[in-house]
């Protein structure tokens, strides 16, 4: 295993950021930590990259203990934090040269590893990092995390605040890196990105709710979800929450995702209830579950 985590707990004063977390990541796997802000994802990353000490539990990265062998881990991993943390006043090339020098290598030595990414920002190599667009900053940060040829790559919410096109390009780059044998642990609050991972851990309030491949998580979900639409969506949510047999109600794009508590649910009865409450243009359709639906139900 590239990463093994056993019963890790970390508290800040009396607040538990993560509690008895356990998971493993296979060599060459693209593994995702999926959850909202405050779920504990960044704390896990900081422990695994030796920036924080756990209160309890143990973990290894690339075969090294995060406490006893922290120096070996720092030479074996690449870390891209959620907030852009490169030197804003240095140029693109100067930032990359600096990080290569720290690890005793050069841009030329590992250029093959970053070539697909760096060619996109090389025309701007003399531009200060602080003057780059969000997508360009993202690519530069990834190059700096890769320049020493790490065994494991940690990416903490790498696409937050980045436009949809750059997000898509970024995940395509990750897939290519994975083909080169690099183990990747990525965290994201975006449920659509979860489907791009080999396996995911759904995490909330410092606890892991479920670990499995995205396809298996969706396949194993046994509740029927309905897309419900009407003219007044705000009032629709309120009235659905007051429907006697409702199990869950939440907004999902242009529809409301609705689950009923009864196995013999009749959509005609619900439509009649909504008409009685003065709703018009009513739509009730069976929907395919998503990772977000599963997460909301856990």
């Amino acid at each position: 295993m590239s990463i093994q985590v056993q019963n890790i707990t970390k508290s800040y004063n009396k607040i538990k950021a993560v509690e008895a977390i356990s998971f493993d990541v296979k060599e060459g796997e693209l593994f995702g930590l999926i959850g909202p802000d405050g779920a504990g994802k960044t704390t896990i990353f900081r422990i695994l990259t030796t920036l924080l000490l756990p209160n309890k539990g143990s973990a290894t990265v690339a075969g090294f203990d995060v406490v006893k062998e922290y120096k070996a881990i720092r030479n074996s991993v690449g870390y891209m934090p959620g907030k852009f943390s490169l030197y804003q006043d240095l140029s693109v090339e100067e930032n990359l040269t600096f990080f290569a020098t720290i690890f005793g290598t050069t841009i030329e030595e590992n250029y093959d590893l970053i070539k697909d990414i760096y060619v996109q920002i090389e025309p701007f190599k003399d531009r200060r990092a602080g003057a780059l667009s969000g997508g360009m900053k993202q690519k530069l940060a990834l190059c700096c995390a890769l320049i020493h040829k790490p065994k494991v790559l940690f990416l903490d919410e790498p696409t937050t605040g980045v436009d949809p096109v750059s997000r898509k390009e970024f995940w395509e780059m990750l897939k290519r890196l994975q083909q080169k044998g690099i183990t990747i642990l990525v965290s994201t609050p975006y449920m659509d990105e979860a489907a791009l991972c080999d396996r995911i851990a759904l995490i909330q309030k410092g606890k892991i709710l479920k670990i499995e491949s995205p396809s298996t998580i969706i396949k194993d979900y046994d509740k029927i979800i309905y897309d419900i639409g009407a003219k007044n969506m705000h009032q629709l949510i309120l009235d659905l929450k007051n429907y006697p047999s409702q199990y869950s109600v939440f907004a999902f794009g242009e529809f409301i995702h609705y689950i009923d508590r009864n196995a013999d649910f009749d959509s005609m009865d619900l439509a009649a209830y909504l008409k009685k409450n003065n709703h018009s243009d009513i739509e009730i359709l069976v929907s395919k579950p998503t990772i977000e639906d599963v997460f909301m139900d856990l």
Side-chain angles (χ1 to χ4, degrees):
M1 294 294 176
S2 279
I3 301 172
Q4 286 186 304
V5 178
Q6 296 181 322
N7 297 314
I8 286 288
T9 295
K10 179 64 181 179
S11 299
Y12 300 103
N13 295 323
K14 295 182 179 179
I15 300 173
K16 283 189 176 179
V18 294
E19 185 176 358
I21 290 285
S22 295
F23 67 92
D24 57 61
V25 181
K26 301 169 186 174
E27 189 172 339
E29 188 173 30
L30 202 172
F31 189 97
L33 286 178
I34 314 299
D37 292 343
K41 304 186 299 295
T42 296
T43 296
I44 294 171
F45 270 62
R46 289 177 177 171
I47 289 172
L48 294 178
T49 54
T50 75
L51 300 177
L52 277 178
L53 292 173
N55 298 125
K56 295 179 182 178
S58 62
T60 61
V61 176
F64 302 111
D65 185 274
V66 295
V67 177
K68 298 174 184 176
E69 300 170 293
Y70 67 92
K71 289 184 178 179
I73 288 177
R74 291 177 183 179
N75 286 323
S76 303
V77 305
Y79 178 37
M80 183 176 163
K83 185 178 180 182
F84 185 70
S85 58
L86 301 183
Y87 294 98
Q88 308 261 5
D89 291 336
L90 295 183
S91 69
V92 167
E93 189 174 43
E94 287 169 339
N95 266 289
L96 193 54
T97 300
F98 174 75
F99 280 92
T101 303
I102 285 178
F103 288 101
T105 186
T106 62
I107 297 175
E108 292 75 23
E109 187 174 348
N110 292 322
Y111 188 73
D112 286 346
L113 189 61
I114 65 167
K115 180 181 178 181
D116 289 347
I117 309 164
Y118 191 59
V119 290
Q120 301 177 51
I121 58 175
E122 198 165 14
F124 312 99
K125 65 181 182 179
D126 296 324
R127 184 178 296 183
R128 288 186 178 185
L132 296 173
S133 67
M136 290 296 182
K137 284 181 177 178
Q138 179 195 58
K139 292 179 177 69
L140 175 58
L142 183 56
C143 285
C144 290
L146 286 167
I147 195 58
H148 61 295
K149 203 172 184 178
K151 295 178 181 177
V152 183
L153 183 61
F154 291 90
L155 307 171
D156 191 7
E157 298 194 2
T159 58
T160 299
V162 177
D163 66 88
V165 174
S166 294
R167 279 177 60 192
K168 183 176 182 293
E169 288 178 351
F170 189 83
W171 278 88
E172 289 171 352
M173 288 187 288
L174 293 190
K175 288 293 184 179
R176 290 195 293 270
L177 288 172
Q178 186 187 13
Q179 291 171 2
K180 295 180 179 181
I182 297 175
T183 303
I184 302 171
L185 180 62
V186 60
S187 71
T188 177
Y190 300 122
M191 298 295 169
D192 60 323
E193 293 184 346
L196 303 173
C197 299
D198 298 325
R199 285 191 304 140
I200 57 174
L202 301 179
I203 182 170
Q204 173 71 296
K205 295 180 179 178
K207 295 182 179 180
I208 288 180
L209 308 177
K210 196 175 187 69
I211 299 176
E212 201 36 276
S213 69
S215 59
T216 299
I217 286 176
I218 292 172
K219 184 182 69 175
D220 290 347
Y221 191 67
D222 59 357
K223 296 182 176 68
I224 299 175
I225 300 167
Y226 294 89
D227 282 336
I228 301 183
K231 199 166 185 178
N232 188 337
M233 295 296 280
H234 175 70
Q235 189 60 43
L236 178 62
I237 291 178
L238 297 178
D239 288 334
L240 285 172
K241 286 183 176 179
N242 288 325
Y243 193 61
S245 60
Q246 71 87 11
Y247 174 81
S248 73
V249 176
F250 66 93
F252 194 93
E254 60 181 320
F255 291 101
I256 307 301
H257 270 197
Y258 174 86
I259 301 174
D260 199 87
R261 193 180 297 112
N262 295 333
D264 58 349
F265 168 73
D266 188 342
S267 62
M268 298 299 290
D269 290 339
L270 178 58
Y273 164 81
L274 294 175
K275 286 178 182 177
K276 187 178 178 181
N277 283 273
N278 301 314
H279 287 283
S280 60
D281 300 335
I282 298 167
E283 290 183 88
I284 302 178
L285 307 166
V286 175
S287 176
K288 292 182 179 180
T290 66
I291 295 295
E292 185 171 351
D293 290 309
V294 178
F295 187 87
M296 294 293 288
D297 195 30
L298 289 172

